[in-house]
Amino acid sequence: MNETKTALVTGGSRGIGRAICVELARAGYFIIINYKSNEAAARETLRLVRDARSDGLISKFDVADSQAAKPALDALLGEHKRIEILVNNAGISADGLFAIMPEENWHSVIDTTLNGFFNVTKPVLKCMVRFRHGSIVSISSVSGLIGNRGQVNYSAAKAGLIGASRALAKEVARLGVRVNVVAPGLVETDMIKEAPVEMIKQLIPMERVGTPEEVAHTVRFLCSEEARYITGQVIPVNGGMF
């Protein structure tokens, strides 16, 4: 059994998830890198984790699929009895106007973010409660705070994640588990490749796109002992975009 501090990051193979994995590795955590399909990207994240003088493993399962997530998490919790940190980062987008949105685009986005939160958080939370210690950070979005045209499904999923996290924080605060949310704005990842970045930058007071590392720094703080009296909060990381 691994005795070091352990963190599980869903959707950890690329973008914000990768940056979070590396940042937590620098803080001394053994990193479980969850991914859905891109093994090469997950292995690259693992390489970066090791470059940060920590270690980890990759774990393939779809957080939206309870039948796939349960056995994978059972195995992980069997080997790593204590998972001190859970970062619910896995998420997808399928943008389009609501009036013509295919039903599958609605369900796939909601299922990954909200069902993924349930499928992963519930078993890991039981472990945290047993030891009366843990930190859960979920990655929402500015779209979950203010909404965004063409992202009704994404905004609904990310807003739901905020509501779920705040409610859970109240349930488990007395049990030694903290639950917080980070809500990034426009961040330099593959997800914004098709976005009108130059136009959106005009809406950002800092007039620039954020970096995955800037989000990861905030996650690391919320997971640290320095943040031990912070729970049920939503921290925007968006350059002042409201």
Side-chain angles (χ1 to χ4, degrees):
M1 181 186 74
N2 180 54
E3 296 290 348
T4 60
K5 300 182 296 181
T6 301
L8 167 58
V9 181
T10 68
S13 64
R14 295 180 294 171
I16 290 174
R18 172 178 287 174
I20 292 169
C21 288
V22 173
E23 189 69 17
L24 292 177
R26 291 191 180 118
Y29 284 88
F30 181 93
I31 310 297
I32 301 172
I33 305 159
N34 160 256
Y35 71 103
K36 179 181 176 181
S37 59
N38 193 335
E39 181 176 339
R43 291 197 178 279
E44 174 61 14
T45 300
L46 181 58
R47 184 189 69 78
L48 294 171
V49 163
R50 288 171 175 163
D51 284 350
R53 299 186 178 181
S54 187
D55 203 357
L57 59 83
I58 63 173
S59 179
K60 179 180 180 179
F61 64 90
D62 182 358
V63 300
D65 182 353
S66 61
Q67 299 303 308
K70 186 180 186 306
L73 287 164
D74 285 346
L76 290 171
L77 290 168
E79 181 179 357
H80 303 270
K81 300 297 183 184
R82 293 188 65 172
I83 294 180
E84 287 90 349
I85 290 175
L86 168 62
V87 181
N88 289 303
N89 171 71
I92 62 171
S93 62
D95 296 349
L97 294 177
F98 182 73
I100 56 174
M101 180 176 291
E103 184 175 346
E104 63 188 60
N105 287 11
W106 173 267
H107 288 294
S108 63
V109 171
I110 298 291
D111 287 350
T112 300
T113 296
L114 290 183
N115 287 354
F117 172 89
F118 178 85
N119 292 337
V120 177
T121 302
K122 187 176 179 181
V124 174
L125 177 65
K126 290 180 180 178
C127 167
M128 292 178 173
V129 167
R130 186 180 309 121
F131 292 100
R132 301 184 75 85
H133 179 75
S135 176
I136 299 169
V137 179
S138 294
I139 307 302
S140 180
S141 168
V142 66
S143 293
L145 293 172
I146 63 174
N148 192 28
R149 182 180 182 274
Q151 288 192 321
V152 173
N153 50 357
Y154 189 75
S155 296
K158 294 300 189 179
L161 190 60
I162 290 171
S165 297
R166 281 178 160 163
L168 181 60
K170 292 183 177 181
E171 291 184 4
V172 299
R174 64 185 177 84
L175 301 174
V177 180
R178 298 182 296 107
V179 186
N180 291 290
V181 177
V182 173
L186 195 68
V187 176
E188 202 172 291
T189 68
D190 289 344
M191 288 186 73
I192 70 166
K193 281 184 176 178
E194 304 301 321
V197 174
E198 291 305 315
M199 182 181 73
I200 296 173
K201 281 165 63 174
Q202 298 175 26
L203 305 175
I204 304 173
M206 286 190 177
E207 298 182 338
R208 69 173 178 86
V209 174
T211 68
E213 290 73 22
E214 287 169 325
V215 178
H217 294 326
T218 306
V219 172
R220 177 179 177 175
F221 168 70
L222 288 173
C223 294
S224 71
E225 285 302 303
E226 285 81 358
R228 60 184 173 271
Y229 200 53
I230 300 175
T231 194
Q233 303 305 305
V234 181
I235 311 298
V237 183
N238 59 22
M241 185 179 179
F242 292 101

